[in-house]
Amino acid sequence: MALTQALTIGIDIGGTKVAAGVVDPEGNILARLRRDTPTTDPKETEDAIAEIVHDLESRHDVIAVGIGAAGFVDGTRSSVLFAPHLAWRHEPLQDAVERRLGLPVVVENDANAAAWSEWRFGGGQGESHLVCVTLGTGIGGAILNDGALQRGKFGIAGEFGHMQVVPGGHRCECGNRGCWEQYASGNALTREARELALSGSPVAHNLLRAAGGDPRKINGPMVTELAKDGDPVAVELLEDVGRWLGIGLANLAAALDPGTFVIGGGVSDAGELLLAPAREAFKRTLTGRGFRPEARIVRAVLGPEAGMVGAADLAREEATWLRRVRVKTTAVTAKTAAARSTRLERAARKSAARRTGMRADADLHHADANGDPDA
């Protein structure tokens, strides 16, 4: 079987779970497993990865493993420099896991893996210049140009959530103020809904009822479900997040000029309740509006398993490339060895010829010295 048709394992590691699946070349998940994420000890996380891979490969013939990690992955795709919800700090994850598994391992930022998946199998198919934005607890993202992930010099491009959109605004977990993810993420949606409920506003009665009367239990999915049911306050809260999303996308368009934005992550479950106001804000904010083509803004289609599928597919790409390099190297080595053997044989023949000639000259000289009449 060609490596491009082989099965690989994709692993998506977040702050609470390790989700893994066996993925075929068409992006179909043939088997799934899930474990809780050990967040305090890197070795325990490696143990969880090894355990889940051994379980899956005992039932499927796989050639490589791709790991999508929620954190900063270095430019060589071998180490996790920093993971906010895990204990990884300059962790050489690729080498550690390869030693445990005996399989090629690719480590990739989870947003990059999700974007690759959407480009290959989802909402970004056929697009030459794609930007993926994931709206979850925060905001992540990735850039693809002509089928290549743009990781940046140090491997950490795509941290769109920490663009400053409101100087002096809400404090962000990164330490700065006014970051985009403080206004257009799941955390932003939850914060605004809770503040409204805590204010005692009568318009928040549906939010409080859904949360059992406790504002602290209000979360993003709850707001989304209420909005889908037509609650006007929940709809308004999602529209606010959508407008901030559109403003940020306009900034990205000014810098990157993509043909399509794919919006993923849990908040994207709101669909057009989120994307319609985002498109309107994008059009109003876009630099050169009215005089330039506008990027499409579409929802991701692969859902929460996009990172797993993308990591597996990137691992297949890497394994295929490595195989080609090995085959080429082997062929070159064999050719070099054959050429060297030929040169040695040629040199040996020349040496033998010289020795034969030297013996002939010596015999002639000997005969001449002894008065040989035939000399």
Side-chain angles (χ1 to χ4, degrees), residues 32-321:
R32 296 172 175 81
L33 284 177
R34 177 171 172 156
R35 300 281 189 276
D36 292 336
T37 303
T39 58
T40 58
D41 185 348
K43 186 177 183 306
E44 288 182 4
T45 305
E46 293 168 18
D47 291 342
I49 294 169
E51 177 187 340
I52 210 167
V53 169
H54 288 321
D55 192 334
L56 289 170
E57 71 171 344
S58 70
R59 292 174 278 126
H60 299 273
D61 186 14
V62 300
I63 63 165
V65 175
I67 299 174
F72 293 171
V73 177
D74 74 347
T76 65
R77 295 191 296 166
S78 61
S79 296
V80 181
L81 303 177
F82 171 74
H85 304 294
L86 296 166
W88 287 332
R89 301 293 184 270
H90 293 276
E91 186 68 25
L93 187 62
Q94 182 188 49
D95 287 345
V97 176
E98 281 187 344
R99 285 196 301 269
R100 298 281 295 271
L101 300 180
L103 289 169
V105 172
V106 170
V107 180
E108 186 58 85
N109 171 265
D110 59 344
N112 282 352
W116 179 267
S117 182
E118 288 291 339
W119 178 72
R120 288 273 286 126
F121 310 111
Q125 290 184 80
E127 177 57 68
S128 62
H129 289 69
L130 176 73
V131 170
C132 185
V133 177
T134 55
L135 308 178
T137 302
I139 296 179
I143 309 160
L144 277 112
N145 284 338
D146 293 324
L149 281 165
Q150 305 299 300
R151 299 180 177 88
K153 172 70 174 179
F154 305 109
I156 53 179
E159 292 296 328
F160 304 141
H162 300 291
M163 299 186 303
Q164 190 180 71
V165 295
V166 181
H170 290 294
R171 176 73 72 181
C172 182
E173 286 83 353
C174 75
N176 293 328
R177 288 186 177 274
C179 292
W180 187 29
E181 68 178 40
Q182 292 303 310
Y183 301 89
S185 66
N187 271 1
L189 181 63
T190 299
R191 182 193 65 236
E192 294 299 311
R194 288 177 179 176
E195 286 183 2
L196 186 61
L198 284 167
S199 72
S201 172
V203 301
H205 65 279
N206 283 339
L207 288 169
L208 277 170
R209 184 170 58 194
D214 186 353
R216 294 170 299 177
K217 294 183 179 179
I218 295 173
N219 56 38
M222 188 182 295
V223 176
T224 297
E225 287 306 310
L226 286 171
K228 289 179 178 179
D229 290 339
D231 179 72
V233 171
V235 170
E236 182 180 337
L237 289 167
L238 271 170
E239 286 176 344
D240 285 344
V241 170
R243 281 190 285 270
W244 278 113
L245 173 61
I247 290 168
L249 294 181
N251 289 340
L252 290 175
L256 302 173
D257 192 29
T260 301
F261 288 102
V262 174
I263 312 301
V267 184
S268 70
D269 289 344
E272 288 302 305
L273 290 167
L274 174 79
L275 296 186
R279 293 189 189 101
E280 287 301 316
F282 178 77
K283 290 179 180 179
R284 290 197 307 270
T285 315
L286 183 65
T287 301
R289 51 194 173 275
F291 299 96
R292 59 176 290 174
E294 292 182 8
R296 296 187 307 137
I297 300 173
V298 301
R299 182 183 172 188
V301 301
L302 297 178
E305 294 179 328
M308 180 198 303
V309 172
D313 199 62
L314 286 165
R316 182 179 296 104
E317 290 262 325
E318 182 76 3
T320 302
W321 178 82

